[in-house]
Amino acid sequence: MKKIPIAVMVSGNGSNLQAILNFESDSNCLYKVVYVVSNRPDAFGLQRAGNANIPVIIWDKNTHPTLAQFEEYVALILKNNAVEWVALAGYMRMVGAGLLGPFAGRIINIHPSLLPNFPGLDTHQRAWQAFQYNAQNNQHGCTIHYVDNGLDSGEIIAQSALTITQGDTPASLQTRVHKLEHALYPLILNELCSNKA
Ligand code: GRF
């Protein structure tokens, strides 16, 4: 069966990218990552893409000085390669009209908190602090949501939760949430690909 072409956008380590790639060896996998996009040339995710022989698009500010130009360039390549879904995985830029227009309703993101709690940065630190303040604030986790032009504000698709315990630290929460992310992201992408209109 023909796999659905998807792209993954990263800025850093790319452990979620790796989880998405690893799932391709599952016989139920419906997608194939055909491009990895990075706004940073030093993102480790690019090495992961290279190891898997996946073409990359890297923001070169000499050829595309503005983010808008970079997005237009990315959208053109992804459209030419019939990409159907764009998965942000640690992509640390707001997405603008250059991608949101061509890929309306087709860009998703994973965020390391149970939105609407803790949009933005430092989510594990903030969740840990909330727990220190009141032990009833013991739910944390990750959210996969559609991307719109707000900050972590698009419609929620799925969440995975854990319970914070006394022994946790912001660092342990990060590790625990990453595990949830790596399990959830490939499954949700697969589900979206199975609902193809
Ligand atoms: C993840 O925690 C994700 O939720 C957030 O950025 C982190 C990226 O981690 N958006 P990695 O690059 O996939 O390891």
Side-chain angles (χ1 to χ4, degrees):
M1 201 190 59
K2 193 178 170 314
K3 306 269 176 154
I4 295 182
I6 70 168
V8 180
M9 296 183 69
V10 300
S11 298
N13 178 29
S15 68
N16 279 284
L17 163 66
Q18 192 65 58
I20 291 166
L21 290 173
N22 292 349
F23 188 73
E24 285 189 16
S25 55
D26 188 298
S27 58
N28 295 315
C29 185
L30 299 173
Y31 63 76
K32 177 166 174 41
V33 179
V34 295
Y35 268 100
V36 170
V37 181
S38 176
N39 63 313
R40 296 183 54 125
D42 58 348
F44 185 66
L46 291 169
Q47 288 192 38
R48 299 181 191 271
N51 294 340
N53 286 318
I54 297 167
V56 298
I57 307 171
I58 304 167
W59 187 8
D60 178 349
K61 291 183 180 159
N62 294 315
T63 43
H64 301 103
T66 68
L67 185 64
Q69 287 168 332
F70 173 60
E71 285 193 347
E72 265 175 46
Y73 172 67
V74 169
L76 190 70
I77 296 175
L78 300 190
K79 282 287 175 193
N80 282 342
N81 285 276
V83 164
E84 294 200 20
W85 289 96
V86 179
L88 309 188
Y91 179 68
M92 302 301 284
R93 298 298 298 237
M94 294 289 289
V95 176
L99 276 167
L100 282 173
F103 285 95
R106 295 270 164 178
I107 308 180
I108 65 172
N109 179 43
I110 190 157
H111 180 77
S113 77
L114 296 175
L115 291 170
N117 295 342
F118 314 125
L121 300 175
D122 299 326
T123 58
H124 308 300
Q125 176 72 29
R126 288 152 71 198
W128 181 79
Q129 267 166 358
F131 176 70
Q132 303 305 310
Y133 176 71
N134 181 344
Q136 282 181 344
N137 297 327
N138 65 357
Q139 293 300 291
H140 187 39
C142 62
T143 302
I144 295 175
H145 62 93
Y146 288 102
V147 172
D148 62 15
N149 56 12
L151 177 66
D152 304 321
S153 59
E155 184 193 336
I156 291 173
I157 302 169
Q159 294 186 310
S160 186
L162 57 73
T163 299
I164 304 175
T165 65
Q166 291 298 340
D168 272 314
T169 61
S172 74
L173 290 179
Q174 182 176 26
T175 304
R176 292 180 66 200
V177 169
H178 254 129
K179 277 201 187 113
L180 297 181
E181 293 185 330
H182 299 161
L184 188 65
Y185 216 175
L187 294 186
I188 294 303
L189 271 168
N190 217 39
E191 202 173 297
L192 291 171
C193 289
S194 74
N195 293 337
K196 187 170 175 278

